[in-house]
Amino acid sequence: MIAQGVHEVTQRLKALHRMIMDPNQVFSASATLDELEGLEARLSPMSIETRGELNYIRGFVLYRVGRTEEALVSSAEALRIDASHPFLPANERSPFLYSVASQAEEVGAWDIAIDAYTQVIPLFDADDALSEGQRLGTRERLAFCLHEAGQYAEAFAVNERVLAGGERLYGPDSESLLVVITNLAQNAHKLGDLDKAGALLARRLDIALKHDVAGHVDEALFQLGVVAYEQGRFGEAEALMQRRLELARTSGDPSMIEEAETALEVLHRLAS
C-alpha cells in the first residue's frame, strides 16, 4: 500500500510538472500549492527524487506569483537533490539553474547565485541555441554577484573576459560595453587600484559622449571626480564636477541639476 501511495504521488507530480511547463495551460497557484502540501505529507523519507520534483514545482509556482524568498528555499532544495539524485529533464536543467540564480540574486543570496551561475555557464556555452551576447550577459551577472559578495578580484577577472568578448562581438567603442566597463571600474575601485578605475571611467566617458548617453556621461564625470579627489587632485576633481553641473543645466533636468550642485558643494566642503 505504501509503494502504491508513493507511485500515485509520483504520477500526480509528473502531471503537475507537465501542466506548469505548458505555456497554454492556466492553473491556480494557490490550489496547486495546497495540493503540493497534501502530496508532501504522503511522501516517505526515501522518496528523494520525488521530493526533489515536488520542491521544483513548488519553487516554480512560488516564483511565478512573486514570492521569491519562499521560492528560493524550495528551488535550492530541488537543486541540491538533483545534484546527488538527478531528476530534472536535461532540457530543463539549465533554465532551472538560471532561474535559481535569478531568484537568489533578487533576494541577495549571493553564494547561491554564484554557485548557480557558475554551474549554468558551461551548459550555456554548449547550447547552440543561445547567442554569444546571452552567454556574455550570464557571465556579467556572475561578476555582479561576485562583487556584491565582496569577491572583487574574482569579479574583475570575470568582467575582463566579458569585456574582451564584448569588444569582439560589438566593437571597442560600442555603447553595449558601457555596463561592463562601469562594473570593472567599480571592481578596481574596491580593490584600491584608483589608476585602473580612473582609466576605465575615462573610457566609459569617451564612449558615452560618442553615443550621447547622458546618464552614463553624468555618472562617469561624477565618479571620475571622486577618483581625482581620492588621489589628491582637487583642481581636476572640481573641474569634472563643474563640467557635470554645466551639462546638467544644459539638459534642463531638475534632478540632475540638483544632484550635480550637491556633489560640487560636498566637494568644496571636503576640501575646505
Side-chain angles (χ1 to χ4, degrees):
M1 291 296 292
I2 293 176
Q4 183 178 3
V6 171
H7 177 73
E8 290 174 355
V9 171
T10 301
Q11 292 305 113
R12 180 54 186 158
L13 286 172
K14 287 181 178 179
L16 288 172
H17 188 146
R18 289 192 296 271
M19 178 186 74
I20 66 170
M21 291 298 164
D22 185 345
N24 298 315
Q25 286 282 352
V26 177
F27 62 90
S28 165
S30 59
T32 303
L33 292 170
D34 287 344
E35 183 176 0
L36 290 172
E37 188 174 344
L39 292 170
E40 187 172 31
R42 297 169 59 188
L43 286 178
S44 75
M46 301 302 293
S47 306
I48 299 174
E49 292 91 343
T50 305
R51 193 170 296 278
E53 179 85 74
L54 188 144
N55 277 285
Y56 177 65
I57 296 168
R58 179 182 280 151
F60 182 94
V61 176
L62 287 168
Y63 191 46
R64 181 165 171 166
V65 296
R67 293 163 61 179
T68 307
E69 289 191 18
E70 297 170 81
L72 181 59
V73 173
S74 293
S75 296
E77 176 64 7
L79 192 58
R80 184 191 68 79
I81 292 172
D82 185 65
S84 57
H85 295 78
F87 67 88
L88 283 170
N91 65 323
E92 291 182 26
R93 184 164 283 108
S94 57
F96 180 56
L97 281 164
Y98 192 87
S99 176
V100 171
S102 299
Q103 292 172 39
E105 187 177 342
E106 192 173 319
V107 302
W110 306 118
D111 288 348
I112 296 174
I114 289 165
D115 181 60
Y117 279 131
T118 301
Q119 289 187 61
V120 82
I121 282 171
L123 298 180
F124 278 3
D125 286 347
D127 188 347
D128 293 336
L130 294 179
S131 68
E132 184 61 19
Q134 288 172 308
R135 297 189 185 100
L136 291 172
T138 304
R139 284 178 165 80
E140 192 173 89
R141 297 319 307 163
L142 169 61
F144 174 83
C145 294
L146 287 165
H147 182 92
E148 292 300 309
Q151 300 179 45
Y152 306 122
E154 294 85 350
F156 189 90
V158 175
N159 274 324
E160 276 194 314
R161 292 195 290 273
V162 173
L163 177 59
E167 288 171 335
R168 289 192 298 272
L169 187 62
Y170 304 115
D173 295 322
S174 171
E175 63 184 298
S176 297
L177 305 180
L178 284 169
V179 171
V180 68
I181 290 172
T182 301
N183 292 344
L184 274 165
Q186 291 172 344
N187 301 154
H189 189 268
K190 285 291 188 180
L191 289 167
D193 191 340
L194 297 183
D195 288 339
K196 174 65 75 173
L200 287 160
L201 290 169
R203 183 178 179 187
R204 178 191 186 190
L205 178 60
D206 182 58
I207 293 173
L209 286 169
K210 284 180 180 177
H211 295 280
D212 194 24
V213 187
H216 275 279
V217 171
D218 179 76
E219 291 177 15
L221 285 169
F222 171 73
Q223 291 167 357
L224 278 166
V226 170
V227 169
Y229 174 78
E230 290 175 338
Q231 292 184 310
R233 295 178 282 111
F234 173 75
E236 184 178 339
E238 185 180 36
L240 288 161
M241 293 295 190
Q242 186 63 50
R243 182 182 175 190
R244 181 190 184 212
L245 177 56
E246 291 167 2
L247 288 174
R249 286 172 175 163
T250 300
S251 75
D253 186 320
S255 62
M256 288 181 68
I257 295 170
E258 182 179 359
E259 289 176 10
E261 288 176 339
T262 300
L264 189 56
E265 289 169 5
V266 169
L267 177 65
H268 286 149
R269 283 201 301 272
L270 289 172
S272 62

